[in-house]
Amino acid sequence: MGKILHFDPFSGIAGDMALAALVDAGADPLLIEQQLQSLPLETFHLQWTRTVKKGISARAVRIITEPEQKGHSHRRYREIVDMLKSADLPEQAVLWSLQIFERIGQAEARIHGIALDEVHFHEVGAIDSIVDIVGTALALDQLNPDRISSSPPPLGNGEAVMAHGIYPLPAPATLELMKGYPIRSTSLPFELTTPTGAGILTALTEQWGPVPDMTVERTGYGAGMLDLPDRPNVLRVILGNR
């Protein structure tokens, strides 16, 4: 029997939601933080809390950094790749992290009309996104699924302020990442699926659709930062066996 991990992003997905949901499903947060500290990043620590989103108790994570370090938020794709390849981390976690960053980098390269190695990450190069992506890969490595599946995520609507100005939602990178993959419609005027969330799903998911046939062993809920009017802003993950 194989182990299945299913993402159920009925309120969308962001990197911190993915990391928190996987820890809520059983990954060890102390080990993840210990492993992340081996990366050559600014000083940080992870703050874990529990919160309730419209009646659902969920885990939440925030990356806490020193205030004077906030300015160092731009990294090139090649810098991130070199950082990960030289890191003392589990091989599978590094592989998944590289796949996610490559997916996001390719999307950014197409949008800006430049080569992949020239991509200069802004939001995704910040320490928060690196920790979210690599932390998610480390959590998945602990849970060790044989297959990863996902339901189609809603992306969101409206506008958001980003590094280059005011952009439409879904963000161009999110939409580029979801090309060829199923999405759900929504009228909510929020960014529900971020580029990091879309990168995680499209890099790792092998099967799309409803929850697959399985015997459910564990569930986890990761809280987002929004309070939505009609649903809990949480990402659900379901872990089970065929």
Side-chain angles (χ1 to χ4, degrees), residues 146-185:
D146 298 298
R147 177 176 289 270
I148 298 172
S149 62
S150 179
S151 303
L155 304 188
N157 295 285
E159 295 179 335
V161 178
M162 300 185 184
H164 296 289
I166 297 173
Y167 271 55
L169 296 175
T174 302
L175 209 52
E176 184 70 32
L177 282 158
M178 293 305 303
K179 278 184 179 177
Y181 297 95
I183 62 174
R184 288 174 51 199
S185 67

Side-chain angles (χ1 to χ4, degrees), residues 102-166:
E102 183 177 10
R103 283 283 306 157
I104 298 171
Q106 287 173 338
E108 294 281 1
R110 284 192 292 268
I111 289 165
H112 298 302
I114 57 177
L116 177 59
D117 280 351
E118 295 174 29
V119 170
H120 214 138
F121 287 113
H122 299 287
E123 283 83 1
V124 178
I127 183 172
D128 293 35
S129 296
I130 293 173
V131 169
D132 287 343
I133 289 170
V134 181
T136 293
L138 289 166
L140 284 168
D141 184 65
Q142 286 186 36
L143 297 174
N144 194 28
D146 298 298
R147 177 176 289 270
I148 298 172
S149 62
S150 179
S151 303
L155 304 188
N157 295 285
E159 295 179 335
V161 178
M162 300 185 184
H164 296 289
I166 297 173

Side-chain angles (χ1 to χ4, degrees), residues 2-6 145 147 149 212-214 238-242:
K3 190 189 294 186
I4 302 171
L5 188 135
H6 182 78
R147 177 176 289 270
S149 62
D213 293 342
M214 69 164 86
I238 304 167
L239 194 64
N241 292 301
R242 291 183 202 279

Side-chain angles (χ1 to χ4, degrees), residues 12-223:
I13 178 173
D16 60 330
M17 296 168 76
L19 174 54
L22 293 169
V23 165
D24 200 46
D28 181 352
L30 295 179
L31 178 57
I32 290 169
E33 181 161 8
Q34 181 184 350
Q35 292 171 317
L36 286 169
Q37 296 292 351
S38 70
L39 294 173
L41 297 171
E42 305 91 298
T43 304
F44 74 93
H45 72 272
L46 300 183
Q47 182 184 74
W48 297 94
T49 56
R50 291 210 73 87
T51 185
V52 176
K53 294 283 188 176
K54 286 202 175 298
I56 292 186
S57 173
R59 183 89 61 147
V61 62
R62 296 289 175 266
I63 293 98
I64 309 299
T65 57
E66 301 296 329
E68 65 270 16
Q69 299 181 133
K70 285 291 186 184
H72 187 61
S73 61
H74 297 202
R75 287 181 175 88
R76 291 189 184 276
Y77 170 74
R78 180 51 52 192
E79 285 180 67
I80 295 172
V81 169
D82 291 343
M83 178 197 304
L84 289 169
K85 286 185 174 179
S86 62
D88 183 21
L89 295 174
E91 184 179 350
Q92 185 59 58
V94 171
L95 181 62
W96 276 329
S97 298
L98 289 169
Q99 287 174 342
I100 296 165
F101 276 111
E102 183 177 10
R103 283 283 306 157
I104 298 171
Q106 287 173 338
E108 294 281 1
R110 284 192 292 268
I111 289 165
H112 298 302
I114 57 177
L116 177 59
D117 280 351
E118 295 174 29
V119 170
H120 214 138
F121 287 113
H122 299 287
E123 283 83 1
V124 178
I127 183 172
D128 293 35
S129 296
I130 293 173
V131 169
D132 287 343
I133 289 170
V134 181
T136 293
L138 289 166
L140 284 168
D141 184 65
Q142 286 186 36
L143 297 174
N144 194 28
D146 298 298
R147 177 176 289 270
I148 298 172
S149 62
S150 179
S151 303
L155 304 188
N157 295 285
E159 295 179 335
V161 178
M162 300 185 184
H164 296 289
I166 297 173
Y167 271 55
L169 296 175
T174 302
L175 209 52
E176 184 70 32
L177 282 158
M178 293 305 303
K179 278 184 179 177
Y181 297 95
I183 62 174
R184 288 174 51 199
S185 67
T186 177
S187 59
L188 290 174
F190 304 101
E191 182 179 34
L192 300 179
T193 296
T194 66
T196 301
I200 290 168
L201 287 188
T202 58
L204 305 182
T205 295
E206 300 166 70
Q207 177 182 337
W208 293 84
V211 181
D213 293 342
M214 69 164 86
T215 302
V216 176
E217 301 291 340
R218 300 180 202 165
T219 58
Y221 292 89

